[in-house]
PDB file of all heavy atoms in Angstrom:
ATOM      1  N   PRO A   1     117.194  92.088  92.362  1.00 91.00           N
ATOM      2  CA  PRO A   1     118.058  91.007  91.871  1.00 91.00           C
ATOM      3  C   PRO A   1     119.478  91.533  91.642  1.00 91.00           C
ATOM      4  O   PRO A   1     119.670  92.654  91.170  1.00 91.00           O
ATOM      5  CB  PRO A   1     117.408  90.612  90.542  1.00 91.00           C
ATOM      6  CG  PRO A   1     116.000  91.105  90.636  1.00 91.00           C
ATOM      7  CD  PRO A   1     116.047  92.344  91.473  1.00 91.00           C
ATOM      8  N   VAL A   2     120.483  90.740  92.019  1.00 89.00           N
ATOM      9  CA  VAL A   2     121.870  91.141  91.835  1.00 89.00           C
ATOM     10  C   VAL A   2     122.280  90.918  90.377  1.00 89.00           C
ATOM     11  O   VAL A   2     122.050  89.857  89.821  1.00 89.00           O
ATOM     12  CB  VAL A   2     122.802  90.329  92.758  1.00 89.00           C
ATOM     13  CG1 VAL A   2     124.261  90.710  92.530  1.00 89.00           C
ATOM     14  CG2 VAL A   2     122.416  90.554  94.214  1.00 89.00           C
ATOM     15  N   ASN A   3     122.906  91.943  89.776  1.00 80.00           N
ATOM     16  CA  ASN A   3     123.439  91.839  88.414  1.00 80.00           C
ATOM     17  C   ASN A   3     122.401  91.342  87.420  1.00 80.00           C
ATOM     18  O   ASN A   3     122.677  90.511  86.558  1.00 80.00           O
ATOM     19  CB  ASN A   3     124.665  90.919  88.379  1.00 80.00           C
ATOM     20  CG  ASN A   3     125.788  91.442  89.241  1.00 80.00           C
ATOM     21  OD1 ASN A   3     125.992  92.648  89.335  1.00 80.00           O
ATOM     22  ND2 ASN A   3     126.518  90.536  89.882  1.00 80.00           N
ATOM     23  N   ALA A   4     121.169  91.818  87.551  1.00 72.00           N
ATOM     24  CA  ALA A   4     120.118  91.435  86.617  1.00 72.00           C
ATOM     25  C   ALA A   4     119.259  92.647  86.315  1.00 72.00           C
ATOM     26  O   ALA A   4     119.227  93.616  87.080  1.00 72.00           O
ATOM     27  CB  ALA A   4     119.267  90.311  87.199  1.00 72.00           C
ATOM     28  N   ARG A   5     118.577  92.596  85.212  1.00 73.00           N
ATOM     29  CA  ARG A   5     117.679  93.697  84.861  1.00 73.00           C
ATOM     30  C   ARG A   5     116.439  93.648  85.749  1.00 73.00           C
ATOM     31  O   ARG A   5     115.898  92.586  86.032  1.00 73.00           O
ATOM     32  CB  ARG A   5     117.259  93.587  83.396  1.00 73.00           C
ATOM     33  CG  ARG A   5     118.385  93.854  82.413  1.00 73.00           C
ATOM     34  CD  ARG A   5     117.883  93.742  80.984  1.00 73.00           C
ATOM     35  NE  ARG A   5     116.812  94.690  80.717  1.00 73.00           N
ATOM     36  CZ  ARG A   5     117.001  95.956  80.360  1.00 73.00           C
ATOM     37  NH1 ARG A   5     118.231  96.439  80.264  1.00 73.00           N
ATOM     38  NH2 ARG A   5     115.980  96.752  80.109  1.00 73.00           N
ATOM     39  N   TYR A   6     116.017  94.778  86.183  1.00 72.00           N
ATOM     40  CA  TYR A   6     114.768  94.853  86.924  1.00 72.00           C
ATOM     41  C   TYR A   6     114.078  96.157  86.535  1.00 72.00           C
ATOM     42  O   TYR A   6     114.724  97.139  86.168  1.00 72.00           O
ATOM     43  CB  TYR A   6     114.990  94.776  88.434  1.00 72.00           C
ATOM     44  CG  TYR A   6     116.031  95.729  88.967  1.00 72.00           C
ATOM     45  CD1 TYR A   6     115.685  97.033  89.326  1.00 72.00           C
ATOM     46  CD2 TYR A   6     117.365  95.338  89.116  1.00 72.00           C
ATOM     47  CE1 TYR A   6     116.635  97.908  89.811  1.00 72.00           C
ATOM     48  CE2 TYR A   6     118.315  96.209  89.600  1.00 72.00           C
ATOM     49  CZ  TYR A   6     117.940  97.492  89.942  1.00 72.00           C
ATOM     50  OH  TYR A   6     118.888  98.362  90.425  1.00 72.00           O
ATOM     51  N   ASP A   7     112.782  96.153  86.629  1.00 78.00           N
ATOM     52  CA  ASP A   7     111.996  97.261  86.106  1.00 78.00           C
ATOM     53  C   ASP A   7     111.408  98.073  87.257  1.00 78.00           C
ATOM     54  O   ASP A   7     110.503  97.616  87.942  1.00 78.00           O
ATOM     55  CB  ASP A   7     110.873  96.719  85.223  1.00 78.00           C
ATOM     56  CG  ASP A   7     110.130  97.833  84.491  1.00 78.00           C
ATOM     57  OD1 ASP A   7     110.508  99.007  84.667  1.00 78.00           O
ATOM     58  OD2 ASP A   7     109.187  97.521  83.765  1.00 78.00           O
ATOM     59  N   ILE A   8     111.931  99.273  87.466  1.00 79.00           N
ATOM     60  CA  ILE A   8     111.373 100.127  88.512  1.00 79.00           C
ATOM     61  C   ILE A   8     110.206 100.960  87.993  1.00 79.00           C
ATOM     62  O   ILE A   8     109.474 101.556  88.775  1.00 79.00           O
ATOM     63  CB  ILE A   8     112.445 101.053  89.134  1.00 79.00           C
ATOM     64  CG1 ILE A   8     113.031 102.011  88.095  1.00 79.00           C
ATOM     65  CG2 ILE A   8     113.521 100.252  89.821  1.00 79.00           C
ATOM     66  CD1 ILE A   8     113.930 103.065  88.691  1.00 79.00           C
ATOM     67  N   THR A   9     110.014 100.982  86.669  1.00 84.00           N
ATOM     68  CA  THR A   9     108.931 101.807  86.123  1.00 84.00           C
ATOM     69  C   THR A   9     107.570 101.224  86.457  1.00 84.00           C
ATOM     70  O   THR A   9     106.568 101.941  86.427  1.00 84.00           O
ATOM     71  CB  THR A   9     109.073 101.952  84.597  1.00 84.00           C
ATOM     72  OG1 THR A   9     108.994 100.642  83.988  1.00 84.00           O
ATOM     73  CG2 THR A   9     110.390 102.593  84.231  1.00 84.00           C
ATOM     74  N   ASP A  10     107.500  99.942  86.773  1.00 90.00           N
ATOM     75  CA  ASP A  10     106.219  99.325  87.119  1.00 90.00           C
ATOM     76  C   ASP A  10     105.834  99.545  88.571  1.00 90.00           C
ATOM     77  O   ASP A  10     104.748  99.141  88.994  1.00 90.00           O
ATOM     78  CB  ASP A  10     106.266  97.818  86.836  1.00 90.00           C
ATOM     79  CG  ASP A  10     106.144  97.507  85.350  1.00 90.00           C
ATOM     80  OD1 ASP A  10     105.756  98.419  84.598  1.00 90.00           O
ATOM     81  OD2 ASP A  10     106.444  96.374  84.956  1.00 90.00           O
ATOM     82  N   GLY A  11     106.700 100.152  89.331  1.00 93.00           N
ATOM     83  CA  GLY A  11     106.387 100.403  90.725  1.00 93.00           C
ATOM     84  C   GLY A  11     105.504 101.625  90.899  1.00 93.00           C
ATOM     85  O   GLY A  11     105.339 102.451  89.995  1.00 93.00           O
ATOM     86  N   ILE A  12     104.908 101.735  92.082  1.00 95.00           N
ATOM     87  CA  ILE A  12     104.147 102.936  92.425  1.00 95.00           C
ATOM     88  C   ILE A  12     105.157 103.997  92.848  1.00 95.00           C
ATOM     89  O   ILE A  12     105.858 103.838  93.845  1.00 95.00           O
ATOM     90  CB  ILE A  12     103.151 102.649  93.563  1.00 95.00           C
ATOM     91  CG1 ILE A  12     102.222 101.503  93.179  1.00 95.00           C
ATOM     92  CG2 ILE A  12     102.356 103.907  93.900  1.00 95.00           C
ATOM     93  CD1 ILE A  12     101.328 101.045  94.315  1.00 95.00           C
ATOM     94  N   LYS A  13     105.263 105.055  92.090  1.00 94.00           N
ATOM     95  CA  LYS A  13     106.288 106.073  92.336  1.00 94.00           C
ATOM     96  C   LYS A  13     105.915 106.911  93.549  1.00 94.00           C
ATOM     97  O   LYS A  13     104.771 107.343  93.706  1.00 94.00           O
ATOM     98  CB  LYS A  13     106.450 106.958  91.099  1.00 94.00           C
ATOM     99  CG  LYS A  13     107.588 107.969  91.211  1.00 94.00           C
ATOM    100  CD  LYS A  13     107.791 108.715  89.910  1.00 94.00           C
ATOM    101  CE  LYS A  13     108.857 109.800  90.025  1.00 94.00           C
ATOM    102  NZ  LYS A  13     110.154 109.257  90.435  1.00 94.00           N
ATOM    103  N   LEU A  14     106.903 107.152  94.387  1.00 94.00           N
ATOM    104  CA  LEU A  14     106.702 107.997  95.557  1.00 94.00           C
ATOM    105  C   LEU A  14     106.828 109.454  95.144  1.00 94.00           C
ATOM    106  O   LEU A  14     107.884 109.895  94.693  1.00 94.00           O
ATOM    107  CB  LEU A  14     107.729 107.653  96.637  1.00 94.00           C
ATOM    108  CG  LEU A  14     107.602 108.387  97.970  1.00 94.00           C
ATOM    109  CD1 LEU A  14     106.255 108.083  98.636  1.00 94.00           C
ATOM    110  CD2 LEU A  14     108.735 107.998  98.911  1.00 94.00           C
ATOM    111  N   GLU A  15     105.745 110.204  95.267  1.00 95.00           N
ATOM    112  CA  GLU A  15     105.696 111.612  94.881  1.00 95.00           C
ATOM    113  C   GLU A  15     105.698 112.492  96.127  1.00 95.00           C
ATOM    114  O   GLU A  15     105.333 112.055  97.220  1.00 95.00           O
ATOM    115  CB  GLU A  15     104.433 111.885  94.060  1.00 95.00           C
ATOM    116  CG  GLU A  15     104.222 110.960  92.868  1.00 95.00           C
ATOM    117  CD  GLU A  15     105.057 111.371  91.666  1.00 95.00           C
ATOM    118  OE1 GLU A  15     105.762 112.396  91.767  1.00 95.00           O
ATOM    119  OE2 GLU A  15     104.993 110.680  90.639  1.00 95.00           O
ATOM    120  N   SER A  16     106.064 113.747  95.940  1.00 96.00           N
ATOM    121  CA  SER A  16     106.105 114.675  97.077  1.00 96.00           C
ATOM    122  C   SER A  16     104.722 114.859  97.698  1.00 96.00           C
ATOM    123  O   SER A  16     104.608 115.103  98.904  1.00 96.00           O
ATOM    124  CB  SER A  16     106.666 116.027  96.642  1.00 96.00           C
ATOM    125  OG  SER A  16     105.834 116.634  95.679  1.00 96.00           O
ATOM    126  N   SER A  17     103.661 114.723  96.885  1.00 96.00           N
ATOM    127  CA  SER A  17     102.302 114.875  97.404  1.00 96.00           C
ATOM    128  C   SER A  17     101.915 113.743  98.349  1.00 96.00           C
ATOM    129  O   SER A  17     100.899 113.836  99.058  1.00 96.00           O
ATOM    130  CB  SER A  17     101.302 114.923  96.247  1.00 96.00           C
ATOM    131  OG  SER A  17     101.359 113.722  95.489  1.00 96.00           O
ATOM    132  N   MET A  18     102.709 112.679  98.379  1.00 97.00           N
ATOM    133  CA  MET A  18     102.426 111.529  99.230  1.00 97.00           C
ATOM    134  C   MET A  18     103.123 111.626 100.580  1.00 97.00           C
ATOM    135  O   MET A  18     103.068 110.686 101.371  1.00 97.00           O
ATOM    136  CB  MET A  18     102.855 110.243  98.524  1.00 97.00           C
ATOM    137  CG  MET A  18     102.124 109.974  97.237  1.00 97.00           C
ATOM    138  SD  MET A  18     102.801 108.516  96.385  1.00 97.00           S
ATOM    139  CE  MET A  18     101.682 108.378  94.987  1.00 97.00           C
ATOM    140  N   VAL A  19     103.795 112.743 100.834  1.00 96.00           N
ATOM    141  CA  VAL A  19     104.513 112.958 102.080  1.00 96.00           C
ATOM    142  C   VAL A  19     103.984 114.234 102.716  1.00 96.00           C
ATOM    143  O   VAL A  19     103.779 115.242 102.029  1.00 96.00           O
ATOM    144  CB  VAL A  19     106.037 113.080 101.839  1.00 96.00           C
ATOM    145  CG1 VAL A  19     106.790 113.128 103.153  1.00 96.00           C
ATOM    146  CG2 VAL A  19     106.541 111.924 100.982  1.00 96.00           C
ATOM    147  N   CYS A  20     103.765 114.208 104.017  1.00 96.00           N
ATOM    148  CA  CYS A  20     103.204 115.388 104.685  1.00 96.00           C
ATOM    149  C   CYS A  20     104.200 116.547 104.668  1.00 96.00           C
ATOM    150  O   CYS A  20     105.373 116.384 104.331  1.00 96.00           O
ATOM    151  CB  CYS A  20     102.805 115.041 106.119  1.00 96.00           C
ATOM    152  SG  CYS A  20     104.189 114.851 107.264  1.00 96.00           S
ATOM    153  N   ARG A  21     103.730 117.702 105.045  1.00 94.00           N
ATOM    154  CA  ARG A  21     104.554 118.921 104.987  1.00 94.00           C
ATOM    155  C   ARG A  21     105.843 118.769 105.782  1.00 94.00           C
ATOM    156  O   ARG A  21     106.926 119.154 105.334  1.00 94.00           O
ATOM    157  CB  ARG A  21     103.740 120.105 105.533  1.00 94.00           C
ATOM    158  CG  ARG A  21     104.503 121.434 105.545  1.00 94.00           C
ATOM    159  CD  ARG A  21     103.632 122.539 106.110  1.00 94.00           C
ATOM    160  NE  ARG A  21     103.121 122.201 107.408  1.00 94.00           N
ATOM    161  CZ  ARG A  21     103.799 122.335 108.553  1.00 94.00           C
ATOM    162  NH1 ARG A  21     105.051 122.784 108.535  1.00 94.00           N
ATOM    163  NH2 ARG A  21     103.250 122.015 109.711  1.00 94.00           N
ATOM    164  N   LYS A  22     105.755 118.164 106.962  1.00 92.00           N
ATOM    165  CA  LYS A  22     106.944 118.015 107.798  1.00 92.00           C
ATOM    166  C   LYS A  22     107.956 117.034 107.207  1.00 92.00           C
ATOM    167  O   LYS A  22     109.115 117.020 107.625  1.00 92.00           O
ATOM    168  CB  LYS A  22     106.550 117.551 109.202  1.00 92.00           C
ATOM    169  CG  LYS A  22     105.832 118.613 110.032  1.00 92.00           C
ATOM    170  CD  LYS A  22     105.557 118.109 111.433  1.00 92.00           C
ATOM    171  CE  LYS A  22     104.920 119.200 112.290  1.00 92.00           C
ATOM    172  NZ  LYS A  22     104.628 118.720 113.670  1.00 92.00           N
ATOM    173  N   GLY A  23     107.520 116.235 106.236  1.00 94.00           N
ATOM    174  CA  GLY A  23     108.411 115.231 105.679  1.00 94.00           C
ATOM    175  C   GLY A  23     109.058 115.615 104.371  1.00 94.00           C
ATOM    176  O   GLY A  23     109.781 114.800 103.773  1.00 94.00           O
ATOM    177  N   GLN A  24     108.841 116.855 103.904  1.00 96.00           N
ATOM    178  CA  GLN A  24     109.346 117.222 102.582  1.00 96.00           C
ATOM    179  C   GLN A  24     110.873 117.240 102.522  1.00 96.00           C
ATOM    180  O   GLN A  24     111.471 116.872 101.506  1.00 96.00           O
ATOM    181  CB  GLN A  24     108.776 118.582 102.169  1.00 96.00           C
ATOM    182  CG  GLN A  24     107.289 118.544 101.855  1.00 96.00           C
ATOM    183  CD  GLN A  24     106.947 117.563 100.741  1.00 96.00           C
ATOM    184  OE1 GLN A  24     107.583 117.551  99.689  1.00 96.00           O
ATOM    185  NE2 GLN A  24     105.938 116.735 100.978  1.00 96.00           N
ATOM    186  N   GLU A  25     111.513 117.647 103.583  1.00 95.00           N
ATOM    187  CA  GLU A  25     112.975 117.658 103.584  1.00 95.00           C
ATOM    188  C   GLU A  25     113.515 116.237 103.475  1.00 95.00           C
ATOM    189  O   GLU A  25     114.462 115.977 102.715  1.00 95.00           O
ATOM    190  CB  GLU A  25     113.505 118.333 104.851  1.00 95.00           C
ATOM    191  CG  GLU A  25     115.031 118.417 104.895  1.00 95.00           C
ATOM    192  CD  GLU A  25     115.547 119.113 106.140  1.00 95.00           C
ATOM    193  OE1 GLU A  25     114.722 119.632 106.934  1.00 95.00           O
ATOM    194  OE2 GLU A  25     116.774 119.141 106.336  1.00 95.00           O
ATOM    195  N   TYR A  26     112.906 115.323 104.204  1.00 94.00           N
ATOM    196  CA  TYR A  26     113.340 113.925 104.121  1.00 94.00           C
ATOM    197  C   TYR A  26     113.061 113.361 102.731  1.00 94.00           C
ATOM    198  O   TYR A  26     113.887 112.640 102.157  1.00 94.00           O
ATOM    199  CB  TYR A  26     112.637 113.081 105.177  1.00 94.00           C
ATOM    200  CG  TYR A  26     113.058 111.636 105.160  1.00 94.00           C
ATOM    201  CD1 TYR A  26     114.326 111.249 105.571  1.00 94.00           C
ATOM    202  CD2 TYR A  26     112.179 110.650 104.717  1.00 94.00           C
ATOM    203  CE1 TYR A  26     114.721 109.920 105.543  1.00 94.00           C
ATOM    204  CE2 TYR A  26     112.569 109.313 104.681  1.00 94.00           C
ATOM    205  CZ  TYR A  26     113.833 108.965 105.093  1.00 94.00           C
ATOM    206  OH  TYR A  26     114.215 107.647 105.054  1.00 94.00           O
ATOM    207  N   PHE A  27     111.907 113.708 102.171  1.00 95.00           N
ATOM    208  CA  PHE A  27     111.571 113.221 100.834  1.00 95.00           C
ATOM    209  C   PHE A  27     112.610 113.639  99.802  1.00 95.00           C
ATOM    210  O   PHE A  27     112.958 112.870  98.908  1.00 95.00           O
ATOM    211  CB  PHE A  27     110.183 113.726 100.412  1.00 95.00           C
ATOM    212  CG  PHE A  27     109.854 113.449  98.975  1.00 95.00           C
ATOM    213  CD1 PHE A  27     109.536 112.173  98.552  1.00 95.00           C
ATOM    214  CD2 PHE A  27     109.894 114.469  98.037  1.00 95.00           C
ATOM    215  CE1 PHE A  27     109.256 111.910  97.217  1.00 95.00           C
ATOM    216  CE2 PHE A  27     109.614 114.220  96.704  1.00 95.00           C
ATOM    217  CZ  PHE A  27     109.294 112.932  96.286  1.00 95.00           C
ATOM    218  N   SER A  28     113.148 114.833  99.943  1.00 95.00           N
ATOM    219  CA  SER A  28     114.134 115.327  98.981  1.00 95.00           C
ATOM    220  C   SER A  28     115.401 114.462  98.982  1.00 95.00           C
ATOM    221  O   SER A  28     116.122 114.427  97.981  1.00 95.00           O
ATOM    222  CB  SER A  28     114.498 116.781  99.285  1.00 95.00           C
ATOM    223  OG  SER A  28     115.208 116.885 100.514  1.00 95.00           O
ATOM    224  N   LEU A  29     115.651 113.750 100.087  1.00 93.00           N
ATOM    225  CA  LEU A  29     116.840 112.904 100.184  1.00 93.00           C
ATOM    226  C   LEU A  29     116.649 111.545  99.513  1.00 93.00           C
ATOM    227  O   LEU A  29     117.623 110.887  99.150  1.00 93.00           O
ATOM    228  CB  LEU A  29     117.209 112.695 101.653  1.00 93.00           C
ATOM    229  CG  LEU A  29     117.512 113.948 102.476  1.00 93.00           C
ATOM    230  CD1 LEU A  29     117.748 113.567 103.938  1.00 93.00           C
ATOM    231  CD2 LEU A  29     118.711 114.689 101.919  1.00 93.00           C
ATOM    232  N   ILE A  30     115.407 111.121  99.349  1.00 93.00           N
ATOM    233  CA  ILE A  30     115.158 109.770  98.840  1.00 93.00           C
ATOM    234  C   ILE A  30     114.440 109.749  97.499  1.00 93.00           C
ATOM    235  O   ILE A  30     114.306 108.677  96.900  1.00 93.00           O
ATOM    236  CB  ILE A  30     114.320 108.951  99.855  1.00 93.00           C
ATOM    237  CG1 ILE A  30     112.931 109.554 100.024  1.00 93.00           C
ATOM    238  CG2 ILE A  30     115.041 108.857 101.198  1.00 93.00           C
ATOM    239  CD1 ILE A  30     111.986 108.682 100.841  1.00 93.00           C
ATOM    240  N   ARG A  31     114.039 110.887  96.987  1.00 91.00           N
ATOM    241  CA  ARG A  31     113.150 110.938  95.829  1.00 91.00           C
ATOM    242  C   ARG A  31     113.729 110.245  94.599  1.00 91.00           C
ATOM    243  O   ARG A  31     112.974 109.679  93.796  1.00 91.00           O
ATOM    244  CB  ARG A  31     112.789 112.383  95.496  1.00 91.00           C
ATOM    245  CG  ARG A  31     113.960 113.251  95.084  1.00 91.00           C
ATOM    246  CD  ARG A  31     113.525 114.700  94.907  1.00 91.00           C
ATOM    247  NE  ARG A  31     112.421 114.809  93.987  1.00 91.00           N
ATOM    248  CZ  ARG A  31     111.625 115.873  93.921  1.00 91.00           C
ATOM    249  NH1 ARG A  31     111.818 116.897  94.738  1.00 91.00           N
ATOM    250  NH2 ARG A  31     110.637 115.896  93.055  1.00 91.00           N
TER     251      ARG A  31
END
């Protein structure tokens, strides 16, 4: 939502364990 409160804590957090070994560098850019 634009200019409104939103709750990201209720989302499923993307963890490094959810990305394969080859994707760890990319994960570091979006974590």
Side-chain angles (χ1 to χ4, degrees):
V2 178
N3 299 324
R5 291 181 59 85
Y6 50 87
D7 188 1
I8 62 172
T9 61
D10 284 346
I12 304 173
K13 185 174 176 59
L14 184 61
E15 308 280 358
S16 63
S17 60
M18 298 175 176
V19 187
C20 74
R21 179 181 55 82
K22 289 184 176 179
Q24 290 302 312
E25 182 179 354
Y26 181 70
F27 171 74
S28 68
L29 301 175
I30 65 171
R31 63 186 305 161

